Amino acid sequence: QLNKGADSARGDDASSLKKTVASWLNESRPTPNPPISSVDKSGRGFYHDATGELLCPVDFHWANPRTKEGIRNYEPDFQVTAHSWPAFLYSNGKYDPDDPTKGLFKSAWLVRTFKHIFTSPSSAGEIRPDEEEPLGYQESSHKRSRTSGERRTRSNIATILGMRSVQPRAIAYSAVQLRFALSSCGAWRIVDDEFDHRQFYIYIIDYFEHPPTSAAKASIDTLLVWWNR
């Protein structure tokens, strides 16, 4: 029964984000050409520049035509696996090879997905995907007033999940849902070509919960403070 409930919740989130992420992408600048369909996902993933750029592993450069060709043709030198972070995890999609953790898990796309799932769809709509502000679980006082229905929705979710703050597993779940929404997969599956969603989820949790050094732990603590401000 618990597995059924979890599968149902995941399916509901995926269905909702399928349409919502398409809307976010179509509202972004530059506007995707062609526009992202909210119904048919077959044109997403690496078949569209807008989604391909976000899904592209940071080891590769999506702007390079050779990268696009290699990924789309499933060439061995351009494998897309959970072993390399996708660009959508980074603030503004910017990866610094000299500082690999800079901006990691600070993507507004990821924060917006978290808000859509765990607070309310309306709270996700209050920010733009390209914003760089810390956009965590706690709402600032200058946000617009919500309707009673919106307040009730948020209260119920927080109560049901017992959430008092943003936790690594919620971030990991949001990342998996966003990755699936950006992909061309029409139906949920654990392994999408060579990308394993379960591994991806585990790698993110390991990053947060098992830092290799005291300096890395301090960096994770700072990151979680950022998410919760």
Side-chain angles (χ1 to χ4, degrees):
Q1 288 296 330
L2 285 174
N3 284 338
K4 270 188 187 176
D7 287 345
S8 176
R10 188 200 63 230
D12 289 345
D13 290 335
S15 178
S16 177
L17 283 165
K18 173 184 175 180
K19 297 177 181 177
T20 301
V21 168
S23 176
W24 293 345
L25 287 163
N26 289 328
E27 291 168 1
S28 64
R29 296 293 180 270
T31 305
N33 183 25
I36 306 294
S37 170
S38 63
V39 178
D40 182 5
K41 289 185 67 192
S42 63
R44 300 188 195 184
F46 294 106
Y47 302 108
H48 196 295
D49 274 343
T51 49
E53 183 177 18
L54 291 168
L55 290 169
C56 186
V58 294
D59 297 330
F60 307 137
H61 298 284
W62 183 252
N64 186 336
R66 183 70 189 90
T67 296
K68 298 178 186 181
E69 178 186 16
I71 290 177
R72 288 167 176 166
N73 291 332
Y74 301 97
E75 295 181 19
D77 290 339
F78 292 92
Q79 288 189 344
V80 178
T81 71
H83 297 286
S84 182
W85 298 131
F88 72 74
L89 292 180
Y90 283 83
S91 176
N92 288 324
K94 304 296 184 186
Y95 169 70
D96 183 352
D98 296 323
D99 188 359
T101 63
K102 182 180 179 182
L104 180 59
F105 297 110
K106 286 190 172 183
S107 156
W109 290 104
L110 180 58
V111 174
R112 202 172 193 187
T113 301
F114 172 89
K115 282 176 167 279
H116 180 89
I117 296 170
F118 291 104
T119 61
S120 70
S122 60
S123 69
E126 291 169 353
I127 63 174
R128 290 174 52 82
D130 52 356
E131 285 180 339
E132 297 182 42
E133 296 292 321
L135 302 166
Y137 186 75
Q138 298 176 11
E139 300 284 347
S140 58
S141 60
H142 71 272
K143 297 288 189 186
R144 65 168 175 82
S145 297
R146 288 187 171 81
T147 67
S148 59
E150 289 172 329
R151 285 195 298 271
R152 197 160 47 242
T153 299
R154 174 171 177 161
S155 174
N156 288 343
I157 291 172
T159 301
I160 291 169
L161 299 178
M163 291 182 69
R164 295 290 181 270
S165 61
V166 180
Q167 297 298 319
R169 288 167 191 256
I171 296 173
Y173 177 77
S174 300
V176 170
Q177 284 286 358
L178 177 55
R179 206 276 170 187
F180 177 69
L182 291 169
S183 76
S184 57
C185 286
W188 169 259
R189 51 178 178 260
I190 292 175
V191 180
D192 170 23
D193 292 328
E194 295 152 331
F195 191 93
D196 190 318
H197 289 98
R198 180 182 287 134
Q199 275 189 337
F200 185 49
Y201 178 79
I202 292 170
Y203 287 158
I204 294 174
I205 292 173
D206 282 348
Y207 178 86
F208 280 94
E209 297 185 354
H210 303 288
T213 65
S214 56
K217 183 181 184 306
S219 176
I220 295 299
D221 290 343
T222 300
L223 177 59
L224 288 173
V225 168
W226 182 90
W227 268 87
N228 282 286
R229 12 181 337 181

